[in-house]
Amino acid sequence: MIHASVIGAMANSPLVELSRVCAALGLQGRILAKLDYLLPGFSKKDRAARAIIEAARANGSLAPGQTVVELTSGNMGTGLAIVCGVLGHPFVAVMSAGNSIERARMMRALGAEVTIVPQAKGSKPGEVSGADLALVDDAAQRLTVERGAFRADQFGHKGNPDAHESGTAPEIWAQSNGEITAFCDFAGSGGTLGGAARFFARHGVRCYVVEPDGARALAEGSARYPDHPIQGGGYAMPDLAHLREAPVTGHLAVTGGQARDHARLLARTEGIFAGYSSGANLAAAAELLRGPELGGCVAIVMCDSGLKYLSTDLWE
């Protein structure tokens, strides 16, 4: 099949069984990994970026040639940079200084204008807090007005969860021959889990929210210790629009160390070079197979590429 542009390749990523990981961890059951880090922007956010821009162009809220602005940890921005570049929209990415430099460099290489927002007082480089994200949001709102731009709004636009209800989840279901019993995902905007859960609930698949230990705002309503190295989520936001009505079975917590160790395990045993949130998803899936999903089949998403973390402590 020949696609008209690279946008057409933002779907149908492979599904791989992590049998070596399961053996190494002594798990009873199966883990299937959806390799969205192989999409053109090296992350699952390509799907949401495509859906949001295509929906906005279709309903007229995004005019031809109009600028697009969005806050991003780098993955949504990369997807938007690709889609906007192909479709002729200038794109401005607004990102915290706490995110890895590889993300900003990739977006600039793809033609995006990148605005870096200094972190909140007390924040640590490499760890983006809810306070940091609030500063990025303020800057994105200001730039949207100044540029007369369309705000992609990944935290609010329904195109985000819709992309996973109509794409990610049905792909996993078909590729697994309907054998999965559970799905879990690290919560950033909540779009992946919110959309996937709507599809999976119709097939009896149980879905779980994954958050950083100490920043379990969705599970507990507050964050005791919001600092963690898992970029792209875990912002200690107690209310995510995409998860408000999602049919969620339960909540799981992982530490930054667990996410790091499991990402390294993926690389060593399965040859999957993914990032922190992918490690968090694997750690959570292993916890499920040791507990409520013992003997089951858990699906997870490999959210982004390990190449985006070479400047961090993930690969030291």
Side-chain angles (χ1 to χ4, degrees):
M1 179 180 183
I2 299 176
H3 295 291
S5 76
V6 73
I7 295 173
M10 291 177 164
N12 298 309
S13 59
L15 189 70
V16 172
E17 180 156 4
L18 305 184
S19 57
R20 295 159 190 82
V21 162
C22 288
L25 296 177
L27 300 175
Q28 295 183 44
R30 304 168 66 198
I31 300 176
L32 305 181
K34 183 74 164 156
L35 305 189
D36 270 15
Y37 80 107
L38 296 180
L39 295 178
F42 305 148
S43 94
K44 67 178 184 177
K45 292 288 189 174
D46 283 9
R47 297 175 183 269
R50 174 184 180 179
I52 289 171
I53 296 303
E54 288 183 344
R57 284 167 59 93
N59 66 25
S61 57
L62 174 60
Q66 186 179 7
T67 297
V68 175
V69 171
E70 181 58 339
L71 65 78
T72 178
S73 68
N75 286 333
M76 185 68 173
T78 299
L80 285 169
I82 294 171
V83 175
C84 289
V86 170
L87 297 179
H89 297 278
F91 173 58
V92 182
V94 190
M95 191 174 80
S96 171
N99 290 119
S100 64
I101 191 63
E102 290 88 352
R103 297 168 180 235
R105 288 176 175 171
M106 185 174 180
M107 287 187 288
R108 290 191 178 107
L110 290 165
E113 175 185 338
V114 181
T115 296
I116 304 295
V117 179
Q119 291 184 269
K121 185 177 180 179
S123 294
K124 299 178 183 179
E127 298 183 4
V128 180
S129 67
D132 293 329
L133 193 67
L135 293 175
V136 175
D137 186 46
D138 288 344
Q141 290 185 41
R142 184 176 65 255
L143 282 167
T144 299
V145 173
E146 291 175 357
R147 305 290 181 90
F150 168 79
R151 176 71 184 273
D153 189 19
Q154 61 175 304
F155 282 83
H157 197 291
K158 76 181 194 68
N160 184 353
D162 287 354
H164 302 289
E165 182 179 11
S166 63
T168 309
E171 288 174 22
I172 291 172
W173 187 250
Q175 290 168 322
S176 69
N177 295 315
E179 294 181 3
I180 70 165
T181 58
F183 176 78
C184 64
D185 194 62
F186 185 71
S189 68
T192 304
L193 185 63
R198 294 202 301 251
F199 175 88
F200 284 138
R202 301 194 290 269
H203 298 278
V205 177
R206 293 171 292 278
C207 295
Y208 298 83
V209 179
V210 182
E211 295 184 276
D213 188 38
R216 302 186 66 189
L218 294 167
E220 300 174 350
S222 62
R224 294 176 287 103
Y225 184 72
D227 297 333
H228 61 86
I230 312 172
Q231 296 184 25
Y235 299 121
M237 298 169 65
D239 181 37
L240 292 176
H242 301 319
L243 293 180
R244 285 175 193 159
E245 304 297 327
V248 171
T249 301
H251 297 75
L252 302 163
V254 298
T255 67
Q258 288 174 317
R260 183 184 300 112
D261 291 345
H262 284 77
R264 292 173 177 176
L265 182 64
L266 275 167
R268 292 195 310 270
T269 62
E270 301 284 1
I272 294 174
F273 194 57
Y276 260 113
S277 52
S278 300
N281 283 346
L282 177 58
E287 181 179 336
L288 287 174
L289 289 182
R290 294 187 185 103
E293 300 296 334
L294 180 68
C297 182
V298 182
I300 56 176
V301 175
M302 299 290 95
C303 308
D304 66 0
S305 171
L307 292 172
K308 298 187 178 188
Y309 300 87
L310 294 178
S311 65
T312 74
D313 64 353
L314 181 56
W315 304 116
E316 287 182 351

